[in-house]
Amino acid sequence: MWDKYCLRSTQDTVATTIPVFLYGTAWKKEHSADLVHTAIKAGFRAVDTAAQPRHYREALVGDGIRRAIADGTVRREDLYVQTKFSPVPAQDPNNMPYDANASVTDQVHASIRLSLHNLRPSEDASSTDDAYIDTLVIHSPLPTINQTLEAWLALQTYVPHRIRNLGVSNCSLPALQELWNSVEATVKPAVVQNRFYEDTWFDVPLRAFCRENEVIYQSFWTLTANPALVRSEPVQQLAARVNISPAAALYALVMGLGHITVLNGTKNETRMKEDLAAPSKVGEFAQAQAGQWQQLLVGFRGLIGEPGA
């Protein structure tokens, strides 16, 4: 729990490990390449982006990854790289990675071609032969389940060689269950990436479904959306006992709920290193002081309405 998870194996997929922290690249704009390179040098081994120019600069994310590979900081096989197919409503109408008038299937293929080019490990821009994506996430379900399935079936054609795993973001439990139960969806979601916040009751039922089915829940907006949790007693006590920041303590308690990884988008290199070091510190505390850790976790579960509090 304090290092990485192995994504669930489904038909025709390659086993993939995912670190507990992913570096989030939304809103990094022209600084994306430098920040991704800095994050990898600081120790991040997972990067999340999207083929959606409104909020992401996927090409610059790829530049940052290639820079880290070229300077010997990391090998591509040691990185977890995740991007997204973003449906039309999420796109900037003046800057889209595909033709908005094309079929959903053709939109998916165009988006994936661009992502494989943007995220290729080689500097050679003329070839994507060595390019692959560890997980491709549908940024949000499409307006109808039939359209969502059309996108999913197109994505399945890339698994396992160009895309290792599939996932979905900004997804409700009914939408996830519809996708999961579809007989056409032979590759099941390996990750669900959602906002972790009070407006969705912290996704308690959805996360239970994920745990039962060995799906990794990726928490985003964890810090920004939860100032009350940062100030809460369990978070403050854990921060004091382990000598970590309240932000890192919140991340650790969220991870402690099980089968959860966290997106972390800090731009501060010192904070990157401190946050990355925190899970192992909390893991040591949880092992040495199991009773205290369980007490803090029970208190935190109570704050978010989690069973077992």
Side-chain angles (χ1 to χ4, degrees), residues 239-268:
R241 292 178 189 181
V242 187
N243 192 27
I244 57 178
S245 71
L250 173 60
Y251 289 145
L253 283 164
V254 171
M255 292 173 187
L257 299 173
H259 279 80
I260 295 181
T261 61
V262 173
L263 270 72
N264 184 324
T266 181
K267 300 176 183 178
N268 183 289

Side-chain angles (χ1 to χ4, degrees), residues 271-289:
R271 196 169 300 128
M272 289 177 184
K273 294 177 180 178
E274 291 174 350
D275 288 350
L276 287 167
S280 62
K281 290 183 178 180
V282 174
E284 292 170 3
F285 168 76
Q287 186 172 15
Q289 304 290 338

Side-chain angles (χ1 to χ4, degrees), residues 23 32-44 64 67-68 267-269 272-273:
Y23 188 65
S32 296
D34 289 340
L35 285 168
V36 166
H37 183 245
T38 298
I40 294 173
K41 287 181 71 68
F44 278 90
R67 194 188 308 172
K267 300 176 183 178
N268 183 289
E269 185 175 3
M272 289 177 184
K273 294 177 180 178

Side-chain angles (χ1 to χ4, degrees), residues 64-307:
I65 290 171
R66 284 188 295 277
R67 194 188 308 172
I69 293 172
D71 66 20
T73 300
V74 71
R75 302 176 301 169
R76 172 62 184 91
E77 55 265 37
D78 297 324
L79 283 176
Y80 173 94
V81 179
Q82 175 174 290
T83 191
K84 305 177 189 74
F85 163 71
S86 301
V88 170
Q91 297 283 356
D92 177 352
N94 299 313
N95 186 12
M96 300 180 68
Y98 51 72
D99 180 356
N101 295 315
S103 68
V104 170
T105 297
D106 287 343
Q107 290 174 10
V108 168
H109 289 313
S111 183
I112 299 307
R113 283 195 300 270
L114 181 62
S115 291
L116 288 169
H117 173 78
N118 287 340
L119 301 172
R120 68 194 185 280
S122 170
E123 293 290 353
D124 182 3
S126 66
S127 175
T128 60
D129 291 346
D130 57 349
Y132 65 94
I133 296 163
D134 290 286
T135 298
L136 196 293
V137 174
I138 293 182
H139 213 150
S140 61
L142 282 74
T144 70
I145 183 59
N146 287 338
Q147 290 174 308
T148 301
L149 281 172
E150 182 180 350
W152 195 266
L153 296 182
L155 291 171
Q156 283 186 164
T157 65
Y158 294 90
V159 178
H161 301 298
R162 307 310 296 274
I163 298 173
R164 301 290 172 82
N165 300 277
L166 301 180
V168 62
S169 182
N170 298 296
C171 187
S172 67
L173 178 56
L176 176 60
Q177 289 172 324
E178 276 195 293
L179 181 59
W180 186 272
N181 293 327
S182 169
V183 295
E184 297 176 280
T186 55
V187 177
K188 301 302 180 183
V191 305
V192 173
Q193 183 184 113
N194 271 8
R195 289 177 179 86
F196 182 85
Y197 70 146
E198 190 174 12
D199 285 8
T200 57
W201 300 281
F202 300 100
D203 270 341
V204 170
L206 184 146
R207 289 189 291 104
F209 179 89
C210 288
R211 286 194 302 273
E212 291 165 5
N213 291 284
E214 299 179 56
V215 177
I216 299 300
Y217 180 91
Q218 295 180 353
S219 168
F220 76 93
W221 228 27
T222 314
L223 188 60
T224 304
N226 295 296
L229 288 182
V230 175
R231 296 189 300 267
S232 69
E233 185 174 348
V235 169
Q236 293 292 325
Q237 286 189 9
L238 180 62
R241 292 178 189 181
V242 187
N243 192 27
I244 57 178
S245 71
L250 173 60
Y251 289 145
L253 283 164
V254 171
M255 292 173 187
L257 299 173
H259 279 80
I260 295 181
T261 61
V262 173
L263 270 72
N264 184 324
T266 181
K267 300 176 183 178
N268 183 289
E269 185 175 3
T270 299
R271 196 169 300 128
M272 289 177 184
K273 294 177 180 178
E274 291 174 350
D275 288 350
L276 287 167
S280 62
K281 290 183 178 180
V282 174
E284 292 170 3
F285 168 76
Q287 186 172 15
Q289 304 290 338
Q292 292 185 38
W293 165 248
Q294 287 302 320
Q295 185 178 19
L296 292 172
L297 197 55
V298 167
F300 183 70
R301 284 195 174 110
L303 292 175
I304 64 171
E306 179 99 345

